[in-house]
Amino acid sequence: MTTTEYKVKGMTCGHCVSSVTEEVSSIEGVTDVKVDLASGLVTVSSAAPLDEKAVRDAVDEAGYEVVDS
């Protein structure tokens, strides 16, 4: 199991959390997604390491942006 944290910019409400969770959860291999709205951190658990571009693309599809910490 692999767990990775991403800092996401632009989330302001529960709908934002739902959108990001739904998009990132759709990536093959993802087993869990936790979004902390206050900190902007998205924690992604997966069976194997994920392609970072896939996560960035999913967050982008939800309307937000992964930023480098």
Side-chain angles (χ1 to χ4, degrees), residues 1-6 24 27-33 43-55:
M1 169 103 66
T2 301
T3 301
T4 309
E5 281 190 341
Y6 300 90
V24 175
I27 299 169
E28 187 174 335
V30 170
T31 57
D32 190 40
V33 178
T43 305
V44 182
S45 299
S46 56
L50 296 173
D51 176 21
E52 184 176 328
K53 183 176 180 337
V55 176

PDB file of all heavy atoms in Angstrom, residues 1-6 24 27-33 43-55:
ATOM      1  N   MET A   1       0.849  -1.180   0.000  1.00  0.00           N
ATOM      2  CA  MET A   1       0.000   0.000   0.000  1.00  0.00           C
ATOM      3  C   MET A   1       0.889   1.236   0.000  1.00  0.00           C
ATOM      4  O   MET A   1       1.896   1.304   0.685  1.00  0.00           O
ATOM      5  CB  MET A   1      -0.909  -0.022   1.222  1.00  0.00           C
ATOM      6  CG  MET A   1      -1.627   1.270   1.449  1.00  0.00           C
ATOM      7  SD  MET A   1      -3.342   1.385   0.991  1.00  0.00           S
ATOM      8  CE  MET A   1      -4.190   0.309   2.046  1.00  0.00           C
ATOM      9  N   THR A   2       0.516   2.222  -0.801  1.00  0.00           N
ATOM     10  CA  THR A   2       1.248   3.481  -0.923  1.00  0.00           C
ATOM     11  C   THR A   2       0.311   4.624  -0.547  1.00  0.00           C
ATOM     12  O   THR A   2      -0.856   4.618  -0.936  1.00  0.00           O
ATOM     13  CB  THR A   2       1.727   3.684  -2.377  1.00  0.00           C
ATOM     14  OG1 THR A   2       2.567   2.601  -2.734  1.00  0.00           O
ATOM     15  CG2 THR A   2       2.495   4.976  -2.519  1.00  0.00           C
ATOM     16  N   THR A   3       0.827   5.586   0.215  1.00  0.00           N
ATOM     17  CA  THR A   3       0.052   6.767   0.566  1.00  0.00           C
ATOM     18  C   THR A   3       0.857   8.000   0.178  1.00  0.00           C
ATOM     19  O   THR A   3       2.031   8.108   0.531  1.00  0.00           O
ATOM     20  CB  THR A   3      -0.263   6.788   2.074  1.00  0.00           C
ATOM     21  OG1 THR A   3      -0.992   5.601   2.402  1.00  0.00           O
ATOM     22  CG2 THR A   3      -1.104   8.002   2.439  1.00  0.00           C
ATOM     23  N   THR A   4       0.217   8.931  -0.545  1.00  0.00           N
ATOM     24  CA  THR A   4       0.879  10.145  -1.002  1.00  0.00           C
ATOM     25  C   THR A   4      -0.016  11.336  -0.709  1.00  0.00           C
ATOM     26  O   THR A   4      -1.234  11.247  -0.850  1.00  0.00           O
ATOM     27  CB  THR A   4       1.151  10.069  -2.517  1.00  0.00           C
ATOM     28  OG1 THR A   4       1.817   8.847  -2.816  1.00  0.00           O
ATOM     29  CG2 THR A   4       2.014  11.234  -2.973  1.00  0.00           C
ATOM     30  N   GLU A   5       0.598  12.450  -0.291  1.00  0.00           N
ATOM     31  CA  GLU A   5      -0.150  13.681  -0.035  1.00  0.00           C
ATOM     32  C   GLU A   5       0.108  14.687  -1.145  1.00  0.00           C
ATOM     33  O   GLU A   5       1.228  14.814  -1.628  1.00  0.00           O
ATOM     34  CB  GLU A   5       0.265  14.309   1.292  1.00  0.00           C
ATOM     35  CG  GLU A   5      -0.336  13.655   2.488  1.00  0.00           C
ATOM     36  CD  GLU A   5      -0.094  14.456   3.762  1.00  0.00           C
ATOM     37  OE1 GLU A   5       0.814  15.310   3.799  1.00  0.00           O
ATOM     38  OE2 GLU A   5      -0.816  14.214   4.727  1.00  0.00           O
ATOM     39  N   TYR A   6      -0.944  15.392  -1.512  1.00  0.00           N
ATOM     40  CA  TYR A   6      -0.867  16.448  -2.522  1.00  0.00           C
ATOM     41  C   TYR A   6      -1.498  17.704  -1.951  1.00  0.00           C
ATOM     42  O   TYR A   6      -2.534  17.632  -1.286  1.00  0.00           O
ATOM     43  CB  TYR A   6      -1.636  16.039  -3.791  1.00  0.00           C
ATOM     44  CG  TYR A   6      -1.108  14.787  -4.430  1.00  0.00           C
ATOM     45  CD1 TYR A   6      -1.601  13.538  -4.075  1.00  0.00           C
ATOM     46  CD2 TYR A   6      -0.094  14.844  -5.379  1.00  0.00           C
ATOM     47  CE1 TYR A   6      -1.110  12.374  -4.648  1.00  0.00           C
ATOM     48  CE2 TYR A   6       0.403  13.688  -5.966  1.00  0.00           C
ATOM     49  CZ  TYR A   6      -0.107  12.461  -5.594  1.00  0.00           C
ATOM     50  OH  TYR A   6       0.384  11.321  -6.162  1.00  0.00           O
ATOM     51  N   VAL A  24     -10.443  11.756  -8.092  1.00  0.00           N
ATOM     52  CA  VAL A  24      -9.224  11.019  -7.729  1.00  0.00           C
ATOM     53  C   VAL A  24      -9.552   9.552  -7.455  1.00  0.00           C
ATOM     54  O   VAL A  24      -8.782   8.658  -7.812  1.00  0.00           O
ATOM     55  CB  VAL A  24      -8.503  11.688  -6.533  1.00  0.00           C
ATOM     56  CG1 VAL A  24      -7.318  10.861  -6.074  1.00  0.00           C
ATOM     57  CG2 VAL A  24      -8.047  13.103  -6.918  1.00  0.00           C
ATOM     58  N   ILE A  27      -9.333   6.963 -10.357  1.00  0.00           N
ATOM     59  CA  ILE A  27      -8.053   6.498 -10.904  1.00  0.00           C
ATOM     60  C   ILE A  27      -7.872   5.024 -10.539  1.00  0.00           C
ATOM     61  O   ILE A  27      -8.060   4.636  -9.379  1.00  0.00           O
ATOM     62  CB  ILE A  27      -6.873   7.319 -10.339  1.00  0.00           C
ATOM     63  CG1 ILE A  27      -7.021   8.790 -10.707  1.00  0.00           C
ATOM     64  CG2 ILE A  27      -5.540   6.763 -10.842  1.00  0.00           C
ATOM     65  CD1 ILE A  27      -6.045   9.695  -9.976  1.00  0.00           C
ATOM     66  N   GLU A  28      -7.512   4.238 -11.522  1.00  0.00           N
ATOM     67  CA  GLU A  28      -7.314   2.809 -11.282  1.00  0.00           C
ATOM     68  C   GLU A  28      -6.239   2.588 -10.218  1.00  0.00           C
ATOM     69  O   GLU A  28      -5.158   3.177 -10.279  1.00  0.00           O
ATOM     70  CB  GLU A  28      -6.905   2.111 -12.577  1.00  0.00           C
ATOM     71  CG  GLU A  28      -6.844   0.603 -12.435  1.00  0.00           C
ATOM     72  CD  GLU A  28      -6.578  -0.095 -13.753  1.00  0.00           C
ATOM     73  OE1 GLU A  28      -6.899   0.458 -14.818  1.00  0.00           O
ATOM     74  OE2 GLU A  28      -6.044  -1.212 -13.700  1.00  0.00           O
ATOM     75  N   GLY A  29      -6.551   1.754  -9.226  1.00  0.00           N
ATOM     76  CA  GLY A  29      -5.598   1.425  -8.173  1.00  0.00           C
ATOM     77  C   GLY A  29      -5.791   2.215  -6.886  1.00  0.00           C
ATOM     78  O   GLY A  29      -5.261   1.840  -5.842  1.00  0.00           O
ATOM     79  N   VAL A  30      -6.554   3.308  -6.943  1.00  0.00           N
ATOM     80  CA  VAL A  30      -6.783   4.117  -5.733  1.00  0.00           C
ATOM     81  C   VAL A  30      -7.719   3.358  -4.803  1.00  0.00           C
ATOM     82  O   VAL A  30      -8.776   2.880  -5.216  1.00  0.00           O
ATOM     83  CB  VAL A  30      -7.381   5.502  -6.094  1.00  0.00           C
ATOM     84  CG1 VAL A  30      -7.847   6.227  -4.845  1.00  0.00           C
ATOM     85  CG2 VAL A  30      -6.348   6.334  -6.835  1.00  0.00           C
ATOM     86  N   THR A  31      -7.314   3.242  -3.533  1.00  0.00           N
ATOM     87  CA  THR A  31      -8.135   2.531  -2.551  1.00  0.00           C
ATOM     88  C   THR A  31      -8.808   3.470  -1.562  1.00  0.00           C
ATOM     89  O   THR A  31      -9.801   3.106  -0.940  1.00  0.00           O
ATOM     90  CB  THR A  31      -7.273   1.512  -1.773  1.00  0.00           C
ATOM     91  OG1 THR A  31      -6.182   2.202  -1.163  1.00  0.00           O
ATOM     92  CG2 THR A  31      -6.747   0.429  -2.700  1.00  0.00           C
ATOM     93  N   ASP A  32      -8.266   4.704  -1.393  1.00  0.00           N
ATOM     94  CA  ASP A  32      -8.862   5.645  -0.451  1.00  0.00           C
ATOM     95  C   ASP A  32      -8.396   7.059  -0.774  1.00  0.00           C
ATOM     96  O   ASP A  32      -7.250   7.257  -1.192  1.00  0.00           O
ATOM     97  CB  ASP A  32      -8.454   5.287   0.990  1.00  0.00           C
ATOM     98  CG  ASP A  32      -9.224   6.079   2.027  1.00  0.00           C
ATOM     99  OD1 ASP A  32     -10.439   6.286   1.854  1.00  0.00           O
ATOM    100  OD2 ASP A  32      -8.611   6.501   3.029  1.00  0.00           O
ATOM    101  N   VAL A  33      -9.289   8.029  -0.564  1.00  0.00           N
ATOM    102  CA  VAL A  33      -8.958   9.440  -0.743  1.00  0.00           C
ATOM    103  C   VAL A  33      -9.502  10.194   0.453  1.00  0.00           C
ATOM    104  O   VAL A  33     -10.680  10.067   0.792  1.00  0.00           O
ATOM    105  CB  VAL A  33      -9.595  10.014  -2.037  1.00  0.00           C
ATOM    106  CG1 VAL A  33      -9.283  11.501  -2.171  1.00  0.00           C
ATOM    107  CG2 VAL A  33      -9.111   9.261  -3.263  1.00  0.00           C
ATOM    108  N   THR A  43      -4.937  13.262   0.632  1.00  0.00           N
ATOM    109  CA  THR A  43      -4.147  12.058   0.903  1.00  0.00           C
ATOM    110  C   THR A  43      -4.740  10.919   0.087  1.00  0.00           C
ATOM    111  O   THR A  43      -5.923  10.602   0.229  1.00  0.00           O
ATOM    112  CB  THR A  43      -4.174  11.722   2.406  1.00  0.00           C
ATOM    113  OG1 THR A  43      -3.728  12.868   3.145  1.00  0.00           O
ATOM    114  CG2 THR A  43      -3.268  10.546   2.713  1.00  0.00           C
ATOM    115  N   VAL A  44      -3.893  10.334  -0.759  1.00  0.00           N
ATOM    116  CA  VAL A  44      -4.345   9.280  -1.668  1.00  0.00           C
ATOM    117  C   VAL A  44      -3.633   7.979  -1.312  1.00  0.00           C
ATOM    118  O   VAL A  44      -2.408   7.927  -1.274  1.00  0.00           O
ATOM    119  CB  VAL A  44      -4.042   9.653  -3.139  1.00  0.00           C
ATOM    120  CG1 VAL A  44      -4.555   8.573  -4.070  1.00  0.00           C
ATOM    121  CG2 VAL A  44      -4.632  11.010  -3.495  1.00  0.00           C
ATOM    122  N   SER A  45      -4.420   6.950  -1.050  1.00  0.00           N
ATOM    123  CA  SER A  45      -3.874   5.621  -0.788  1.00  0.00           C
ATOM    124  C   SER A  45      -4.143   4.750  -2.005  1.00  0.00           C
ATOM    125  O   SER A  45      -5.219   4.841  -2.619  1.00  0.00           O
ATOM    126  CB  SER A  45      -4.528   4.996   0.444  1.00  0.00           C
ATOM    127  OG  SER A  45      -4.275   5.792   1.584  1.00  0.00           O
ATOM    128  N   SER A  46      -3.169   3.912  -2.330  1.00  0.00           N
ATOM    129  CA  SER A  46      -3.320   3.047  -3.502  1.00  0.00           C
ATOM    130  C   SER A  46      -2.563   1.744  -3.287  1.00  0.00           C
ATOM    131  O   SER A  46      -1.668   1.665  -2.452  1.00  0.00           O
ATOM    132  CB  SER A  46      -2.791   3.754  -4.750  1.00  0.00           C
ATOM    133  OG  SER A  46      -1.447   4.149  -4.562  1.00  0.00           O
ATOM    134  N   ALA A  47      -2.948   0.757  -4.068  1.00  0.00           N
ATOM    135  CA  ALA A  47      -2.326  -0.558  -3.970  1.00  0.00           C
ATOM    136  C   ALA A  47      -0.862  -0.514  -4.396  1.00  0.00           C
ATOM    137  O   ALA A  47      -0.021  -1.220  -3.861  1.00  0.00           O
ATOM    138  CB  ALA A  47      -3.097  -1.558  -4.817  1.00  0.00           C
ATOM    139  N   ALA A  48      -0.560   0.347  -5.366  1.00  0.00           N
ATOM    140  CA  ALA A  48       0.801   0.502  -5.888  1.00  0.00           C
ATOM    141  C   ALA A  48       1.018   1.991  -6.152  1.00  0.00           C
ATOM    142  O   ALA A  48       0.055   2.748  -6.230  1.00  0.00           O
ATOM    143  CB  ALA A  48       0.965  -0.299  -7.165  1.00  0.00           C
ATOM    144  N   PRO A  49       2.262   2.420  -6.294  1.00  0.00           N
ATOM    145  CA  PRO A  49       2.511   3.835  -6.581  1.00  0.00           C
ATOM    146  C   PRO A  49       1.737   4.297  -7.819  1.00  0.00           C
ATOM    147  O   PRO A  49       1.639   3.575  -8.805  1.00  0.00           O
ATOM    148  CB  PRO A  49       4.021   3.893  -6.812  1.00  0.00           C
ATOM    149  CG  PRO A  49       4.564   2.739  -6.034  1.00  0.00           C
ATOM    150  CD  PRO A  49       3.512   1.666  -6.160  1.00  0.00           C
ATOM    151  N   LEU A  50       1.180   5.505  -7.730  1.00  0.00           N
ATOM    152  CA  LEU A  50       0.397   6.069  -8.836  1.00  0.00           C
ATOM    153  C   LEU A  50       1.250   6.989  -9.680  1.00  0.00           C
ATOM    154  O   LEU A  50       2.219   7.567  -9.201  1.00  0.00           O
ATOM    155  CB  LEU A  50      -0.779   6.875  -8.287  1.00  0.00           C
ATOM    156  CG  LEU A  50      -1.834   6.121  -7.503  1.00  0.00           C
ATOM    157  CD1 LEU A  50      -2.823   7.103  -6.893  1.00  0.00           C
ATOM    158  CD2 LEU A  50      -2.550   5.128  -8.398  1.00  0.00           C
ATOM    159  N   ASP A  51       0.835   7.154 -10.904  1.00  0.00           N
ATOM    160  CA  ASP A  51       1.436   8.142 -11.786  1.00  0.00           C
ATOM    161  C   ASP A  51       0.974   9.519 -11.300  1.00  0.00           C
ATOM    162  O   ASP A  51      -0.226   9.796 -11.255  1.00  0.00           O
ATOM    163  CB  ASP A  51       0.967   7.885 -13.218  1.00  0.00           C
ATOM    164  CG  ASP A  51       1.465   8.919 -14.203  1.00  0.00           C
ATOM    165  OD1 ASP A  51       2.479   9.600 -13.915  1.00  0.00           O
ATOM    166  OD2 ASP A  51       0.846   9.040 -15.274  1.00  0.00           O
ATOM    167  N   GLU A  52       1.907  10.372 -10.915  1.00  0.00           N
ATOM    168  CA  GLU A  52       1.555  11.690 -10.376  1.00  0.00           C
ATOM    169  C   GLU A  52       0.739  12.498 -11.386  1.00  0.00           C
ATOM    170  O   GLU A  52      -0.169  13.243 -11.015  1.00  0.00           O
ATOM    171  CB  GLU A  52       2.807  12.467  -9.968  1.00  0.00           C
ATOM    172  CG  GLU A  52       2.466  13.795  -9.324  1.00  0.00           C
ATOM    173  CD  GLU A  52       3.670  14.548  -8.809  1.00  0.00           C
ATOM    174  OE1 GLU A  52       4.650  13.915  -8.393  1.00  0.00           O
ATOM    175  OE2 GLU A  52       3.601  15.786  -8.839  1.00  0.00           O
ATOM    176  N   LYS A  53       1.030  12.339 -12.669  1.00  0.00           N
ATOM    177  CA  LYS A  53       0.286  13.064 -13.697  1.00  0.00           C
ATOM    178  C   LYS A  53      -1.184  12.664 -13.681  1.00  0.00           C
ATOM    179  O   LYS A  53      -2.067  13.506 -13.881  1.00  0.00           O
ATOM    180  CB  LYS A  53       0.893  12.826 -15.083  1.00  0.00           C
ATOM    181  CG  LYS A  53       0.178  13.621 -16.175  1.00  0.00           C
ATOM    182  CD  LYS A  53       0.828  13.461 -17.511  1.00  0.00           C
ATOM    183  CE  LYS A  53       0.192  14.210 -18.635  1.00  0.00           C
ATOM    184  NZ  LYS A  53      -1.189  14.603 -18.548  1.00  0.00           N
ATOM    185  N   ALA A  54      -1.481  11.414 -13.408  1.00  0.00           N
ATOM    186  CA  ALA A  54      -2.877  10.962 -13.354  1.00  0.00           C
ATOM    187  C   ALA A  54      -3.614  11.659 -12.220  1.00  0.00           C
ATOM    188  O   ALA A  54      -4.772  12.064 -12.371  1.00  0.00           O
ATOM    189  CB  ALA A  54      -2.938   9.449 -13.191  1.00  0.00           C
ATOM    190  N   VAL A  55      -2.939  11.822 -11.088  1.00  0.00           N
ATOM    191  CA  VAL A  55      -3.553  12.507  -9.943  1.00  0.00           C
ATOM    192  C   VAL A  55      -3.746  13.987 -10.271  1.00  0.00           C
ATOM    193  O   VAL A  55      -4.821  14.553 -10.054  1.00  0.00           O
ATOM    194  CB  VAL A  55      -2.712  12.327  -8.665  1.00  0.00           C
ATOM    195  CG1 VAL A  55      -3.306  13.125  -7.508  1.00  0.00           C
ATOM    196  CG2 VAL A  55      -2.598  10.850  -8.300  1.00  0.00           C
TER     197      VAL A  55
END
